[in-house]
């Protein structure tokens, strides 16, 4: 079996460099530092000369590694091939977890995926071998669980081409989800540029008990801060309650910080982390972290006076925290489970649960599965099985082998669960449901992280709710959403009634240790000179990239409106996953899904728009392609938090490929705004959010002053109405000098190609 890289030397180098850089920062600031500042400033390219100001300054950072999942790795590696580099400058990995369709069970689903995606897997494996990237084959595990088990370390910095990369914050790492272009910069040896985030301090007191789980911490925080509350912020947890949560439980919390829109989330180093590191064959790293503990926690003064050091401080009392459910259609619609029955009645949610799903990158640890199996065992002891279909996704080969040895998998199988592959599956729309007709209203419950409409099964009328794994199993046993696991009774096999007990505290480390298993890992060969990476000219799955054209040095004049997105327009709405995942390596083919899920204020049917020349209603991808063929560039209008959700850069590349020029929105989600900039599109924001309402279906827009585009300088937009009247509006942007260079060159990759 190939050997997974050992990284103690890397960790020691990071700690030594961090200590040197922080000496400079302490001299400059002359004050105590938060944990976030220690890790971020410890990775500054120029700690002496960097302009540092939260929320306004762009900073240059030097991450330690890159991780890519198979859906986004295709475009990332295709872009890296254009960069002209011989190998990656930092340790990097590819994880094949997104393209496995969940339908019948682990072995059959992996075999089917290998057969269906052979061309893509062969490309990813060859490109990984050619450029020195570690490769995890299909079935090896979900990227974030595998990273937590093998690569994450306290005080490190990692970029990942998946929005839930912050999962590694459970081990004290600044791990940030980005688009492939950002990852390519770092793999090519250049700095990573990001807006210096504000820092939110979340003080945890007390300890979890009973039914309450780490999942409930982040669900409660989502209720408090909403899906926009973390934008351009890092969430830093502190307080006595933090040390009571396991490393994998911390990972659950930081993972779903992505749903807050946060840049990342992080916990301070503690003994729970050290124990987990040692149990996952990283004893030397645990020892290094303990020896450098001062770098991996906030200074004492910060915790003593948090309001002086954090931009916002919130507190969660773990002693009083109830189990929560969130949903449907947004992860910040939260309530305690005791309120769910009332909401079913008042909101008209379908009460019968058609499916329950546990696992995903958020909740697939040994601790999670053990607590879920505890609830299942209670049901078996009372002679019943699940009333809702139950699907289980282990997070990795290591977890799968360990729960098989220790009996949790057998318990779940006996209670009626189907165990799926170690992959994302239904969490990202890779779920082939046979039990529900398209458009049929139904409710499901999962321990996943996202619940946007159509996210899991492609059905806009599936009401998706999220809770902890143990709560999900409890609901599966009752079979209805109005059930309260804390107080309601269930009918046993003999007709009597019983009440579920809260699961026993579960170990995050098995008594007999983990079964270390990484059969699916392939390290790159030492001699890579003869490896060829080829893409067939007639391939429908992969397409070599062509550089985007440079700006034509003129204003955007009288451009039509492709759509005016109304309400939530996530990256799922802009570029759907599910069956479209098969085209993630073929820009032209996947562009046929552009805005298919978007609600257009100008059309009755989602994914449709009005051709301003013919007046016809057509699908938005067809309309964009038609405009491109006619030589017409266009503008998209967005509402609040435009581009929320996944890191998928296809949501920025597709509009650019089909002649999009700009997106004007009330506000943007962080990752998507950056992705638009990287691809040479202008992300502009209404200075007056009410100007959004002025945009009409047959308007055209001129964006003036592009020849004087500069940081902090607003642009003028002129709305040309069809009645001959014009209105001027002010438009803000957040581009700095380098990002303006990307725009002028046509993309960030075009600029990268000119650098040594």
């Amino acid at each position: 079996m190939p050997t997974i890289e050992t990284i103690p030397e890397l960790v020691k180098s990071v700690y030594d460099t961090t200590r040197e850089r922080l000496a400079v920062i302490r001299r400059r600031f002359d004050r105590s530092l938060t944990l976030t500042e220690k890790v971020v400033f410890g990775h500054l390219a120029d700690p002496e000369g960097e302009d540092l100001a939260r929320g306004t300054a762009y900073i240059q950072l030097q991450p330690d590694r890159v991780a890519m999942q198979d859906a986004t790795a295709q475009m990332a590696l295709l872009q890296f091939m254009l960069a002209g580099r011989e190998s990656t400058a930092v340790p990097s990995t590819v994880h094949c977890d997104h393209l496995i369709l969940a339908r019948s069970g682990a072995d059959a689903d992996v075999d089917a995926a290998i057969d269906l995606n052979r061309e893509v897997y062969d490309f990813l494996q060859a490109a990984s071998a050619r450029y020195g990237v570690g490769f995890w084959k299909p079935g090896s595990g979900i990227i974030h669980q595998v990273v937590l088990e093998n690569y994450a370390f306290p005080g490190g910095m990692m970029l990942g081409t998946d929005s839930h990369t912050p999962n590694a914050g459970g081990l004290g790492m600044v791990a940030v989800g980005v688009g492939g272009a950002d990852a390519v910069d770092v793999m090519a040896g250049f700095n990573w540029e990001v807006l210096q985030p504000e820092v939110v301090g979340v003080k945890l007191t007390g300890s979890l008990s009973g039914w309450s789980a780490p999942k409930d911490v982040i669900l409660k925080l989502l209720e408090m801060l909403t899906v926009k509350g973390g934008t351009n912020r890092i969430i830093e947890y502190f307080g006595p309650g933090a040390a009571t949560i396991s490393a994998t439980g911390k990972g659950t919390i930081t993972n779903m910080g992505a749903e807050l829109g946060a840049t990342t989330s992080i916990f301070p180093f503690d003994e729970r982390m050290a124990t987990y590191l040692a149990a996952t064959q990283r004893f030397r790293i645990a020892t290094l972290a303990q020896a450098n503990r001062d770098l991996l926690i906030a200074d004492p003064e910060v915790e003593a006076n948090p309001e002086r050091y954090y931009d916002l401080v919130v507190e969660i009392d773990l002693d009083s925290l109830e189990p929560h459910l969130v949903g449907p259609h947004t992860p910040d619609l939260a309530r305690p489970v005791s309120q769910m029955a009332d909401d079913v009645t008042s909101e008209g949610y379908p009460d019968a649960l058609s499916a329950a799903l546990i696992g995903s990158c958020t909740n697939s640890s040994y601790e999670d599965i053990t607590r879920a199996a505890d609830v299942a065992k209670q049901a078996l002891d009372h002679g019943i099985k699940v009333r809702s279909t139950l699907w289980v996704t282990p997070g990795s080969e290591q977890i799968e082998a360990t729960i098989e040895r220790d009996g949790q998998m057998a318990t779940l199988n006996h209670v009626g669960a189907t165990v799926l592959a170690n992959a994302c599956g239904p969490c990202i729309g890779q779920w082939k449901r046979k039990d529900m007709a398209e458009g049929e209203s139904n409710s499901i419950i999962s321990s996943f992280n996202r619940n946007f409409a159509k996210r899991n099964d492609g059905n806009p009328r599936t009401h998706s709710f999220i809770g902890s794994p143990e709560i999900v199993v409890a609901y599966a046993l009752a079979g209805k959403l109005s059930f309260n696991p804390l107080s309601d009774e269930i009918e046993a096999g003999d007709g009597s009634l019983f009440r579920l007990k809260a699961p026993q505290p579960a170990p995050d480390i098995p008594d007999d240790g983990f079964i270390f298993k990484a059969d699916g890992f392939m390290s790159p060969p030492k001699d890579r000179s003869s490896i060829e990476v080829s893409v067939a000219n007639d391939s429908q799955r992969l397409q070599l990239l062509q550089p985007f054209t440079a700006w034509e040095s003129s204003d955007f004049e009288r451009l039509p409106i492709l759509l005016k997105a109304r309400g939530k327009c996530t990256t799922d709405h802009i570029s759907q996953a599910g069956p479209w995942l098969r085209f993630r390596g073929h820009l032209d083919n996947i562009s046929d899904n552009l805005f298919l899920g978007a609600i257009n204020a100008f059309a009755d049917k989602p994914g449709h728009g009005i051709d301003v020349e013919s007046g016809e209603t057509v699908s938005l991808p067809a309309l964009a392609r038609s405009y491109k063929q006619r030589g017409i560039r266009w503008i998209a209008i967005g509402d609040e938090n435009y581009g929320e959700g996944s890191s998928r850069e296809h949501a920025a590349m597709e509009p650019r490929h089909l002649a999009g020029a700009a997106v004007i929105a009330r506000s943007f989600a962080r990752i998507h705004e950056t992705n638009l900039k990287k691809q040479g599109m202008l992300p502009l924001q209404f200075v007056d959010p009410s100007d959004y309402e002025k945009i009409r279906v047959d308007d055209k827009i001129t964006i003036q002053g592009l020849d004087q585009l500069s940081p902090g300088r607003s642009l003028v937009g002129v709305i040309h109405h069809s009645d001959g009247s014009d209105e001027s509006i002010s438009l803000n942007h957040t581009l700095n000098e380098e990002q303006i260079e990307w725009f002028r060159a046509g993309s960030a990759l075009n600029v990268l190609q000119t650098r040594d």
Side-chain angles (χ1 to χ4, degrees), residues 438-516:
E438 172 68 24
E440 185 175 349
S441 183
N442 72 107
S443 293
I444 66 173
I445 188 169
S446 79
S447 66
F448 298 168
N449 42 46
R450 294 226 163 106
N451 59 351
F452 304 139
K454 303 177 70 172
R455 169 78 178 188
N456 303 119
D457 61 2
N459 182 357
R461 301 199 67 195
T462 292
H463 298 71
S464 178
F465 298 86
I466 299 173
S468 68
E470 52 266 47
I471 285 290
V472 170
V473 173
Y475 274 97
L477 293 170
K480 59 182 183 179
L481 198 56
S482 57
F483 174 68
N484 182 354
L486 281 64
S487 60
D488 292 351
E489 295 180 317
I490 300 176
E491 184 176 347
D494 61 5
S496 64
L497 298 176
F498 75 99
R499 186 177 296 169
L500 292 168
K501 297 178 181 178
Q504 293 295 311
D508 47 329
I509 308 301
D511 291 340
D512 295 326
F514 289 107
I515 294 178
F516 181 74

Side-chain angles (χ1 to χ4, degrees), residues 274-296:
T275 299
Y276 184 77
L277 285 167
T280 50
Q281 301 192 342
R282 290 172 288 176
F283 180 81
R284 289 176 60 197
I285 295 175
T287 301
L288 280 168
Q290 288 168 325
N292 290 275
R293 180 182 174 84
D294 61 305
L295 301 177
L296 310 176

Side-chain angles (χ1 to χ4, degrees), residues 369-402:
I369 302 299
T370 300
R371 282 174 64 88
D374 180 303
V375 179
K377 178 66 164 53
Q378 294 181 51
L380 292 173
D381 289 345
H382 286 87
I384 63 170
K385 295 187 176 183
V386 291
R387 290 178 170 85
S388 303
T389 304
L390 178 62
W391 305 82
V392 179
T393 305
S396 66
E397 290 179 293
Q398 180 167 295
I399 294 298
E400 179 188 27
T402 306

Side-chain angles (χ1 to χ4, degrees), residues 390-722:
L390 178 62
W391 305 82
V392 179
T393 305
S396 66
E397 290 179 293
Q398 180 167 295
I399 294 298
E400 179 188 27
T402 306
I403 63 174
E404 186 171 11
R405 179 198 66 193
D406 292 349
Q408 295 95 328
M409 185 179 290
T411 298
L412 292 168
N413 280 328
H414 290 154
V415 86
T418 298
V419 178
L420 296 169
N422 308 318
C424 299
C427 188
I428 45 88
Q430 287 288 71
W431 185 19
K432 190 174 179 61
R433 293 191 76 175
K434 301 177 182 178
D435 62 327
M436 201 61 52
E438 172 68 24
E440 185 175 349
S441 183
N442 72 107
S443 293
I444 66 173
I445 188 169
S446 79
S447 66
F448 298 168
N449 42 46
R450 294 226 163 106
N451 59 351
F452 304 139
K454 303 177 70 172
R455 169 78 178 188
N456 303 119
D457 61 2
N459 182 357
R461 301 199 67 195
T462 292
H463 298 71
S464 178
F465 298 86
I466 299 173
S468 68
E470 52 266 47
I471 285 290
V472 170
V473 173
Y475 274 97
L477 293 170
K480 59 182 183 179
L481 198 56
S482 57
F483 174 68
N484 182 354
L486 281 64
S487 60
D488 292 351
E489 295 180 317
I490 300 176
E491 184 176 347
D494 61 5
S496 64
L497 298 176
F498 75 99
R499 186 177 296 169
L500 292 168
K501 297 178 181 178
Q504 293 295 311
D508 47 329
I509 308 301
D511 291 340
D512 295 326
F514 289 107
I515 294 178
F516 181 74
K517 188 176 182 183
D519 295 347
F521 177 71
M522 299 182 65
S523 57
K526 291 183 178 179
D527 183 5
R528 298 180 276 108
S529 58
S530 62
I531 297 174
E532 294 186 9
V533 183
S534 60
V535 173
N537 292 331
D538 60 351
S539 173
Q540 295 301 300
R541 298 290 302 271
L542 297 164
Q543 180 186 48
L544 294 175
L545 294 175
Q546 298 298 319
F548 289 131
T549 57
W551 173 57
E552 295 180 349
S553 302
S554 60
D555 288 342
F556 293 146
E557 297 279 356
R558 293 182 174 270
L559 304 190
I561 309 301
L562 184 77
L563 87 158
K564 179 180 177 180
R566 177 74 71 185
K568 191 181 285 287
C569 190
T570 71
T571 50
D572 280 34
H573 294 91
I574 303 168
S575 175
Q576 295 177 349
W580 291 95
L581 283 173
R582 68 187 187 277
F583 295 131
R584 283 286 181 88
H586 197 296
L587 180 56
D588 193 56
N589 281 349
I590 199 170
S591 294
D592 285 335
N593 79 359
L594 178 64
F595 291 122
L596 279 182
I599 305 300
N600 187 359
F602 302 144
D604 295 330
K605 186 177 179 182
H608 285 68
I610 310 298
D611 186 323
V612 294
E613 294 190 344
S614 69
E616 295 181 47
T617 300
V618 296
S619 75
L620 288 169
L623 179 57
R625 197 175 289 278
S626 175
Y627 281 160
K628 179 180 180 179
Q629 290 170 348
R630 286 179 267 171
I632 300 172
R633 299 199 73 181
W634 48 265
I635 288 173
I637 304 297
D639 210 325
E640 294 282 357
N641 208 31
Y642 179 85
E644 170 191 344
S646 170
S647 67
R648 67 192 67 159
E649 64 184 339
H650 297 76
M653 296 185 80
E654 290 175 38
R656 180 74 167 95
H657 175 64
L658 293 184
V663 178
I664 306 174
R666 281 175 162 154
S667 63
F668 288 92
R670 175 193 62 86
I671 299 177
H672 187 63
E673 182 180 24
T674 299
N675 286 344
L676 289 169
K677 295 176 183 179
K678 285 280 186 176
Q679 303 305 330
M681 286 195 71
L682 277 181
L684 304 174
Q685 188 169 328
F686 294 107
V687 172
D688 181 354
S690 66
D691 286 344
Y692 168 93
E693 302 296 346
K694 296 178 180 178
I695 308 298
R696 306 171 191 169
V697 61
D698 50 3
D699 285 344
K700 294 185 178 180
I701 293 181
T702 293
I703 299 175
Q704 298 177 340
L706 293 182
D707 60 336
Q708 299 177 48
L709 184 62
S710 59
R713 180 170 182 168
S714 297
L715 295 170
V716 174
V718 180
I719 307 171
H720 306 284
H721 298 303
S722 60

Side-chain angles (χ1 to χ4, degrees), residues 271-324:
E271 289 306 310
R272 301 296 292 269
M273 292 185 190
T275 299
Y276 184 77
L277 285 167
T280 50
Q281 301 192 342
R282 290 172 288 176
F283 180 81
R284 289 176 60 197
I285 295 175
T287 301
L288 280 168
Q290 288 168 325
N292 290 275
R293 180 182 174 84
D294 61 305
L295 301 177
L296 310 176
I297 61 174
D299 287 338
E301 172 67 17
V302 174
E303 188 159 339
N305 298 281
E307 289 78 9
R308 291 181 55 189
Y309 297 95
Y310 297 114
D311 298 283
L312 174 69
V313 178
V314 298
E315 184 171 341
I316 297 176
D317 177 17
L318 302 183
D319 286 335
S320 61
L321 183 63
E322 293 184 62
H324 275 59

